[in-house]
Structures are given as structure tokens and as C-alpha cells.
């Protein structure tokens, strides 16, 4: 039983067309299970990925490759309530969130 | 929503980028694919999401108008999801807490077509990804919390 999102990679291409992630500090809001995170995280300097659903963050953490473990942080958080550090990110990314 | 965007605005460095990718208002189209050929079999009612998207876009437009962000560029594309079974599709919807409305007749039609030899289901949504740049004009106004 299989369900694949962005099966044609169109979102992946669009995101990279609009943002150069190389060396950037990225804040991702509504990261879900990390579906989009994996598409750019290897380029970024750091990624803080937030989602209010603990089960989604559990799935994302379980899929976090060892090569990205020092660079990507998944956190259960609601951006409306989370106290984010000021002027800390080069890029904020929303995909189907808010 | 305004508070979330205010939070993000503050978290971004000056001139930082905000990338917002979300489906356009409108229904998702469901297709069956057989031997590489796709045929539409119905739509998923995305009225709830469409209303939300309109709200978000209106809020962003207000923030752009008040000088919080500058809208720079947008890319439109078709977001395709694929399922090898109706159960996979339904399980995904349940896992994500989908707010769209699925006609049971469409579900049955999809099941029947897959049972008759269709290879997979395809769900197509039009999406726009928009890039904004954080601006920090000292004279910017505070957005009103109406959305």
C-alpha cells in the first residue's frame, strides 16, 4: 500500500527555483513528517522544522538520516505560540501550513 | 494567523525570505491511470481549504501593503500525488487529518476501476509557491488581527 506526494517532483523544482538554500539557516513551519525538509536540508546550514502534531514530528525524527542529525532539528511547536529567536533565520518556509 | 506571520517576520533576518507554497482555491482532481493514460473520475471538495487559503493570501496581501514583506516572485505548478490503492489514499487522508470532503460514490468508482485493472490513482492540485522578502521599514504599521 503506497501513497506518494509530489510524485512528479514539481514542488521540489519550484522551491529550488525560488530559493537557494546553500548555507542558509532555515525555519520550516508545518514540516509534517519532513517530506519537504529532505529536499533541501543537505544544502542548508541549519534547519529548525516545526509542526504542532507530535506524531508527525516522531515520524520525521525517525527518518532523519545520520548525515543530517547535527543540522536538522524537529520540534513539536505551534508557530502562533512558539517563541522564536529574533533575526535568526535566512529563510522561512511554509508548505501547506497555517 | 497574523500572530504567526508576525512571529516569522521577527525571526527572519533583515531581507530574509519567506516562501509560501500552498494549493490554489479549488478542488483536487482525481484520475485513474491505466497503461500510462490518465482519465479524470471526479473531484475532492476542497471548500474548507479554499476558504483558508483565501484568508492566508488576504493576510499576506495586507502585510505586503503595510511594508512587512515584499512579494517578489511566484511559481505555479501541478502537485501530483499517487496512490496504488484506495486504502492507501484513505489512510493518507486520515493520517494528515484532511478537511476535504470525499464523495463515497467517487471512492467506490475508484475502487471499481482499480479492481478492473487500472494501475493507480492520481490526485492533481494546482499550487502556487510565492517568495516574499522580509522588509523592515521603521514606519511599518501593525496588521490588524482580522484573520
Amino acid at each position: 500500500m503506497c501513497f506518494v506526494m509530489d510524485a512528479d517532483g514539481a514542488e521540489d523544482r519550484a522551491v529550488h527555483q525560488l530559493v537557494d538554500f546553500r548555507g542558509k539557516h532555515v525555519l520550516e513551519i508545518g514540516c509534517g513528517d519532513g517530506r519537504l525538509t529532505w529536499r533541501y536540508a543537505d544544502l542548508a546550514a541549519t534547519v529548525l522544522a516545526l509542526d504542532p502534531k507530535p506524531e508527525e514530528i516522531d515520524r520525521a525524527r525517525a527518518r532523519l538520516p545520520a548525515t543530517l542529525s547535527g543540522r536538522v532539528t524537529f520540534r513539536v511547536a505551534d508557530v502562533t505560540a512558539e517563541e522564536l529567536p529574533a533575526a535568526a533565520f535566512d529563510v522561512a518556509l511554509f508548505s501547506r501550513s497555517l | 494567523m497574523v500572530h504567526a506571520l508576525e512571529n516569522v517576520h521577527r525571526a527572519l533576518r533583515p531581507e530574509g525570505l519567506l516562501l509560501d507554497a500552498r494549493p490554489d482555491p479549488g478542488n483536487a482532481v482525481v484520475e485513474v491511470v491505466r497503461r500510462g493514460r490518465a482519465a479524470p473520475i471526479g473531484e475532492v471538495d476542497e471548500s474548507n481549504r479554499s476558504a483558508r487559503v483565501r484568508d492566508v493570501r488576504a493576510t499576506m496581501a495586507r502585510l505586503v501593503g503595510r511594508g512587512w514583506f515584499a512579494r517578489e516572485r511566484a511559481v505555479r505548478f501541478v502537485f501530483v500525488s499517487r496512490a496504488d490503492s484506495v486504502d492507501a489514499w484513505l489512510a493518507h487522508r486520515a493520517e494528515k487529518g484532511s478537511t476535504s470532503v470525499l464523495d463515497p460514490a467517487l471512492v467506490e468508482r475508484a475502487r471499481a476501476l482499480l479492481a478492473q485493472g487500472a494501475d493507480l490513482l492520481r490526485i492533481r492540485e494546482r499550487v502556487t509557491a510565492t517568495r516574499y522578502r522580509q522588509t523592515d521599514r521603521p514606519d511599518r504599521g501593525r496588521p490588524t488581527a482580522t484573520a
Side-chain angles (χ1 to χ4, degrees), chain A residues 4 18 80 82 84 92 97, chain B residues 3 7 10 17 22 82 131:
Chain A
V4 179
L18 291 167
T80 59
E82 181 77 1
L84 297 169
S97 53
Chain B
H3 182 65
N7 216 358
R10 197 178 61 83
L17 299 176
R22 66 183 66 245
R82 288 186 188 143
R131 186 179 74 202

Side-chain angles (χ1 to χ4, degrees), chain A residues 2-9 35 96, chain B residues 28-31 33 78-84 89 92 120-125:
Chain A
C2 179
F3 188 93
V4 179
M5 295 180 76
D6 196 22
D8 296 347
R35 177 186 65 81
R96 299 167 175 261
Chain B
V29 175
V30 182
E31 302 171 334
V33 180
V78 177
F79 186 97
V80 176
S81 301
R82 288 186 188 143
D84 64 1
W89 180 29
H92 174 82
L120 51 89
L121 291 174
R122 205 160 72 168
I123 298 100
R124 295 163 56 91
E125 304 162 280

Side-chain angles (χ1 to χ4, degrees), chain A residues 4-63:
Chain A
V4 179
M5 295 180 76
D6 196 22
D8 296 347
E11 182 183 54
D12 188 23
R13 287 191 296 278
V15 163
H16 286 282
Q17 208 174 325
L18 291 167
V19 176
D20 178 358
F21 288 94
R22 286 176 296 184
K24 300 293 195 301
H25 297 278
V26 181
L27 170 66
E28 185 176 342
I29 311 293
C31 63
D33 60 7
R35 177 186 65 81
L36 189 57
T37 316
W38 313 129
R39 307 287 182 108
Y40 67 83
D42 58 330
L43 298 172
T46 64
V47 178
L48 174 59
L50 310 178
D51 198 281
K53 296 179 183 169
E55 64 275 15
E56 292 277 40
I57 292 295
D58 286 346
R59 278 192 282 271
R61 285 177 178 153
R63 293 171 185 167

